[in-house]
């Protein structure tokens, strides 16, 4: 067994963990952006509906 193998395996494992963490971070960011977009659309629809029922702004 090569004496560098354990170190290489450890380094590769750490790189894989870093890659996985980055992928999760990107996925969560996209998901939160989608939630924000959905909330903005819901708010716009609610405002439109309120204006429809209260056209004079009362």
């Amino acid at each position: 067994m090569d004496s560098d193998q354990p170190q290489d395996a450890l380094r590769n494992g750490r790189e894989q963990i870093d890659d996985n963490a980055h992928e999760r971070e990107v996925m969560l960011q996209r998901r939160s952006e989608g939630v924000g977009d959905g909330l903005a659309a819901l708010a716009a629809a609610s405002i439109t509906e309120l204006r429809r029922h209260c056209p004079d702004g009362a």
Side-chain angles (χ1 to χ4, degrees), residues 17-58:
I17 289 169
D18 289 344
D19 289 346
N20 291 346
H22 178 72
E23 287 175 17
R24 280 193 299 274
E25 183 179 331
V26 168
M27 180 186 65
L28 289 173
Q29 179 65 32
R30 287 182 183 153
R31 200 177 281 174
S32 68
E33 288 170 358
V35 169
D37 291 345
L39 289 175
L42 179 61
S46 297
I47 291 169
T48 300
E49 192 64 24
L50 284 172
R51 286 183 179 152
R52 186 175 316 173
H53 292 289
C54 302
D56 61 359

